[in-house]
Amino acid sequence: MTIQEIRENYWLLAGKHYAYTLALSDTGNLINPYWGQVLPSQNDYPKPAIFTAASSFDSEYEIMPEEFPLREKMKFTDPCLLVNFENGTRDTAFAFTNAQISQNRLVILLTDPAQHFEISLNYQIYEDEDTIKKWVVLKNNGTQTIHFDRIFSANITLPHPAEYSLTHLYGQWNHEFNKETSKIPYGKLVLESRRLTSSHQHSPAILLHPPETNEYYGRSYFCILGWSGNWKISVEKNSFGLTRAAVGINDFDFYWPLAPGAEFTTPPVYSGVAQHGFHEVSRRLHTLVRSHLVPHPTLDKKVLYNSWEATQFDVTITGQKKLAQIAAEIGVELFVLDDGWFSGRHSDQAGLGDWWPDQAKFPNGLKELSDWVQALGMDFGLWIEPEMVNPDSDLYRQHPNWILHYPDRQRTLARNQSILDLTNPQVQAYLHEYLTKVITETGVDFIKWDMNRNISEAGISANGNHSAKQVWVQYTHSVYRLWDQLRQRFPHIIFQTCSGGGGRSDYGMLTRADQVWISDNTDPTERLSIQEGFSLFYPASVMESWVTDSGAAVQDLDYRFLVSMMGVLGIGADISRWNEQQKQTARTWIERYKQLRPIIQHGTQYRLLSARDAGYAAVQYLDSLKQQGVIFYVRSTASQTASPPVIFPQGLDENAQYTLSDIDEQRSGVAWQQLGFRYALPRNYSGQMFTIRRI
Ligand code: DGJ
């Protein structure tokens, strides 16, 4: 049993190594008395402490690890809900009502009888990954609407007042997933997106840890929100030194009315604790995503070719056929036609919304190309950007008000496009019809779903009143709905999420998409640190990485392949310009990638040398039986005089013997891990791949 009631109103949520407890205190508060390693005996789990106020200015709640803090009594921390009842009351008064455990799920029901309002706190545990999924369902059992200005999914409280740091990922377009660690000050620190997507700027995911925690040592708590729209994480350290994080849909410009009888379900939060550094967090989250979130968990991701960087909008049937021919010759398994294929799309000025093949470019439709690609033994993939419309399109000319806008405000274009109001059922129906048609007529195996701008004028097309503040949530639900309808209609299709690169990479998307385009930046050296940051919360099996012409003037083709082989290998270069030698190099690496793919995509990843340090990077992958592995080692921008770093392999069976290709030695696992090895790379932008074999 992973979830059990071990004493009256005391619940233990235990994974393989870590446990979390919930208890109803004598004062009727739902608190979290313990969060840490699984303890040997159930008696070890502490009783709820008695909390007392320090003064008439500070209530006992300042030091109480409340599970879901609300606005009531003398509570000054960020509440998880901001509620307005029709009678003017804005406090809640919830009482524990019951708890139910069924299968691997705990539901704790709290009710506010005066307002006929109930909250169920839901918990599920992923035992192997030691991760708790939490979400909340609100229900209005009364006869009057309840109005919300905030609905968060969860709160986490760190066990002891102490000094903690926050590690998270920040970035911007073309420069995503930069890891930053900062000390949590007294006060509040807010991370958020107000951009309609989860955004390039911050990932809805944090680590909270003692300042000394690093890759392989130290404790770390993690908390990730599964939501693809506006979100907020508010980390608060109060004057007693207690640190909390409240997580959920952003309350900026948020409003949600809950009509009598209605329910609202929050997006989930995934949280847990690790004892052995950031690596342990990543290892567990990688498995969580691969085994429990993505639609096709066991899939080996295909080596793809994407023609975007080669042709941009200059798409022709002849040009694409030629690229496909070469792609097949070098071993590519999936050919993706990117932007530029649909009606009127000759630049980014026009066409979005008109989802049928451009007559001049594809006089016989797209089927001619997909047949060609499939006859070459490859799958066929197609780029779409369903949420957008160019003013220069048939769709816009017919329905200029189908976009998010305010009737009395100028419409702001970005990349010459507007955002369709997906909350409008007519828009949903239109997109569903046209996308279904093109997918069916073409025979599509893979879809790249892009989204190339952030929000402006967040008004709903149908009603421009106060309830328009629902647009943020309704829009995300609508994106999910369309996505889910297409997935249901075409279960064999593999989806990729993209928003101008990594602008919508989140756990909400990863329950729908198997792959992520993490950045438009395909310079291999810059990509090293983008990939490294991404790996903190997301596995290599979802991370597409292409070898392109970016950086080709000075960065070896071998080096570019080694960087891209760290994820799901793809090619995006103009291969029609490659000479025989380049094609042979590609063929060889693609072949080797296919052999190693099960280890890279399904094995354990170890960050050995950080790309942010001394101009070198090394990443290791090891299969689950610790029999075979691979280390990608590259020298990017090291100084001429620097001596090569020592690389310490990780995760090997200590007593087993291993060899590393190109290092002429056999050693025990523990010896490799303790001694490490050095390998001199001759120049910048070169690299080496070592295969690890157990003897
Ligand atoms: C942005 C994506 O990230 C690129 O890969 C490409 O698909 C372009 N959009 C096409 O417009």
Side-chain angles (χ1 to χ4, degrees):
M1 275 280 267
T2 52
I3 301 185
Q4 25 178 339
E5 186 174 8
I6 58 171
R7 283 167 229 154
E8 193 187 0
N9 294 337
Y10 195 112
W11 301 272
L12 170 66
L13 289 77
K16 275 209 166 126
H17 303 284
Y18 299 96
Y20 186 85
T21 64
L22 284 166
L24 197 65
S25 72
D26 290 348
T27 49
N29 296 98
L30 188 66
I31 62 167
N32 162 224
Y34 180 78
W35 196 9
Q37 279 176 268
V38 166
L39 300 178
S41 146
Q42 290 191 349
N43 291 332
D44 288 335
Y45 292 104
K47 293 196 181 67
I50 310 244
F51 301 97
T52 44
S55 75
S56 63
F57 295 96
D58 302 295
S59 73
E60 61 273 32
Y61 300 107
E62 308 272 352
I63 48 171
M64 190 183 284
E66 271 202 288
E67 177 62 12
F68 198 70
L70 292 163
R71 178 175 168 178
E72 55 191 5
K73 301 183 180 143
M74 275 186 72
K75 296 188 183 177
F76 303 105
T77 193
D78 251 351
C80 287
L81 303 178
L82 285 177
V83 193
N84 304 277
F85 295 107
E86 288 279 347
N87 66 353
T89 299
R90 298 189 308 286
D91 271 13
T92 53
F94 279 102
F96 169 78
T97 306
N98 63 49
Q100 285 179 0
I101 300 175
S102 64
Q103 292 173 338
N104 177 26
R105 184 155 159 205
L106 166 68
V107 184
I108 295 181
L109 183 68
L110 310 174
T111 46
D112 181 341
Q115 295 290 351
H116 307 286
F117 174 34
E118 66 180 46
I119 307 180
S120 28
L121 305 179
N122 291 256
Y123 300 85
Q124 188 183 327
I125 187 148
Y126 299 99
E127 199 181 350
D128 288 344
E129 293 78 18
D130 273 298
T131 299
I132 299 170
K133 177 178 172 184
K134 302 181 179 185
W135 71 101
V136 175
V137 181
L138 309 178
K139 186 156 185 231
N140 181 355
N141 292 322
T143 52
Q144 293 184 311
T145 299
I146 306 174
H147 309 268
F148 292 87
D149 293 325
R150 171 190 295 165
I151 305 175
F152 281 166
S153 298
N155 162 83
I156 62 168
T157 307
L158 301 190
H160 310 287
E163 188 166 310
Y164 288 103
S165 294
L166 163 74
T167 294
H168 77 292
L169 302 173
Y170 73 93
Q172 62 189 101
W173 174 77
N174 226 29
H175 194 49
E176 300 88 336
F177 306 114
N178 302 283
K179 186 171 117 191
E180 185 184 55
T181 298
S182 35
K183 182 179 157 188
I184 299 170
Y186 284 95
K188 203 185 291 176
L189 218 151
V190 172
L191 305 174
E192 64 174 356
S193 165
R194 298 179 175 191
R195 293 169 183 261
L196 194 63
T197 58
S198 43
S199 91
H200 299 84
Q201 278 62 26
H202 298 279
S203 278
I206 55 164
L207 303 176
L208 299 170
H209 52 87
E212 61 274 13
T213 298
N214 63 25
E215 272 295 3
Y216 293 99
Y217 302 97
R219 180 175 272 231
S220 181
Y221 300 87
F222 59 87
C223 180
I224 298 134
L225 179 70
W227 184 242
S228 313
N230 283 7
W231 57 271
K232 181 169 174 181
I233 299 181
S234 164
V235 182
E236 186 173 1
K237 179 177 176 181
N238 71 14
S239 48
F240 293 84
L242 201 68
T243 300
R244 296 182 168 101
V247 185
I249 294 170
N250 203 339
D251 54 2
F252 163 76
D253 198 28
F254 172 90
Y255 165 71
W256 198 265
L258 200 63
E263 287 190 356
F264 183 88
T265 303
T266 69
V269 160
Y270 302 86
S271 66
V273 56
Q275 280 289 112
H276 307 289
F278 304 141
H279 163 74
E280 188 193 336
V281 175
S282 302
R283 176 170 53 78
R284 283 170 28 204
L285 292 177
H286 291 177
T287 318
L288 177 84
V289 172
R290 287 185 312 212
S291 311
H292 303 289
L293 300 196
V294 293
H296 299 89
T298 54
L299 188 79
D300 277 348
K301 308 294 169 51
K302 300 197 164 161
V303 177
L304 69 75
Y305 179 79
N306 180 300
S307 55
W308 169 245
E309 291 198 24
T311 61
Q312 300 264 309
F313 298 102
D314 194 11
V315 170
T316 61
I317 178 75
T318 335
Q320 295 295 316
K321 278 185 171 178
K322 186 172 167 200
L323 288 168
Q325 177 90 46
I326 302 166
E329 280 166 25
I330 59 175
V332 165
E333 301 160 301
L334 161 65
F335 181 88
V336 184
L337 173 60
D338 208 282
D339 198 349
W341 60 266
F342 46 95
S343 186
R345 189 67 166 172
H346 301 290
S347 72
D348 64 13
Q349 307 265 343
L352 287 170
D354 298 347
W355 296 112
W356 50 91
D358 186 78
Q359 204 34 49
K361 295 178 182 182
F362 297 98
N364 306 317
L366 280 182
K367 184 94 172 77
E368 182 182 350
L369 180 60
S370 71
D371 281 350
W372 173 268
V373 165
Q374 284 154 358
L376 288 166
M378 298 182 290
D379 284 354
F380 182 73
L382 193 63
W383 177 96
I384 54 174
E385 193 180 2
E387 298 152 75
M388 298 293 155
V389 64
N390 287 118
D392 186 0
S393 66
D394 288 356
L395 176 63
Y396 191 89
R397 281 183 281 273
Q398 279 165 28
H399 302 285
N401 288 327
W402 272 12
I403 64 166
L404 295 175
H405 73 289
Y406 296 118
D408 57 345
R409 295 283 180 257
Q410 202 177 338
R411 301 169 176 206
T412 308
L413 294 176
R415 207 194 190 204
N416 310 302
Q417 60 199 55
S418 288
I419 304 180
L420 285 169
D421 180 3
L422 253 68
T423 70
N424 179 339
Q426 288 171 297
V427 175
Q428 283 266 337
Y430 170 87
L431 290 171
H432 188 259
E433 182 189 336
Y434 280 87
L435 293 173
T436 300
K437 189 161 187 285
V438 72
I439 291 169
T440 315
E441 284 176 2
T442 308
V444 171
D445 307 296
F446 177 96
I447 284 195
K448 172 175 175 179
W449 184 310
D450 205 346
M451 205 281 195
N452 279 302
R453 63 161 292 180
N454 285 148
I455 185 83
S456 61
E457 298 92 38
I460 296 181
S461 59
N463 57 359
N465 60 27
H466 181 60
S467 70
K469 286 185 177 181
Q470 289 173 256
V471 66
W472 306 104
V473 172
Q474 286 178 340
Y475 183 89
T476 306
H477 282 159
S478 304
V479 172
Y480 286 163
R481 189 175 314 119
L482 183 60
W483 203 300
D484 293 343
Q485 280 170 350
L486 292 174
R487 282 178 50 226
Q488 217 170 355
R489 176 84 173 73
F490 304 104
H492 72 284
I493 292 186
I494 302 302
F495 281 83
Q496 179 199 340
T497 173
C498 169
S499 175
R504 200 158 55 187
S505 314
D506 56 72
Y507 280 22
M509 272 295 140
L510 281 171
T511 58
R512 296 169 171 86
D514 284 284
Q515 293 181 207
V516 183
W517 180 234
I518 71 165
S519 183
D520 279 347
N521 189 336
T522 57
D523 177 280
T525 300
E526 293 191 24
R527 205 154 170 113
L528 280 171
S529 54
I530 298 175
Q531 296 186 171
E532 183 181 313
F534 184 81
S535 76
L536 200 58
F537 298 108
Y538 310 97
S541 60
V542 304
M543 183 185 82
E544 261 181 48
S545 188
W546 308 344
V547 175
T548 68
D549 296 320
S550 180
V554 286
Q555 307 183 44
D556 278 2
L557 189 53
D558 291 324
Y559 172 83
R560 286 184 275 146
F561 263 97
L562 288 172
V563 174
S564 291
M565 285 167 74
M566 296 180 190
V568 178
L569 176 63
I571 318 288
D574 185 354
I575 49 179
S576 68
R577 291 170 189 265
W578 277 4
N579 59 31
E580 263 322 304
Q581 196 191 342
Q582 287 168 311
K583 286 186 206 164
Q584 186 50 44
T585 303
R587 206 172 284 126
T588 307
W589 281 122
I590 290 172
E591 195 45 47
R592 298 193 77 181
Y593 180 79
K594 288 178 185 168
Q595 287 156 7
L596 294 166
R597 167 164 56 192
I599 304 172
I600 297 166
Q601 296 186 6
H602 307 290
T604 307
Q605 185 190 44
Y606 299 86
R607 294 177 289 262
L608 302 185
L609 291 178
S610 171
R612 287 152 204 268
D613 292 345
Y616 287 91
V619 185
Q620 176 193 323
Y621 303 79
L622 191 64
D623 73 355
S624 58
L625 298 174
K626 301 174 185 255
Q627 299 280 342
Q628 281 189 60
V630 57
I631 295 174
F632 296 104
Y633 169 51
V634 291
R635 173 174 164 172
S636 52
T637 52
S639 117
Q640 285 282 0
T641 52
S643 56
V646 184
I647 304 169
F648 295 96
Q650 296 281 341
L652 304 177
D653 184 337
E654 296 202 342
N655 299 315
Q657 292 288 314
Y658 290 92
T659 57
L660 249 73
S661 62
D662 295 284
I663 306 281
D664 199 14
E665 261 182 75
Q666 177 179 325
R667 294 182 191 167
S668 63
V670 66
W672 281 113
Q673 289 173 182
Q674 290 292 311
L675 301 169
F677 69 94
R678 278 179 197 267
Y679 188 92
L681 290 169
R683 59 186 178 284
N684 284 345
Y685 310 123
S686 64
Q688 181 68 35
M689 183 180 90
F690 305 100
T691 46
I692 303 172
R693 248 170 237 297
R694 186 177 177 143
I695 303 300

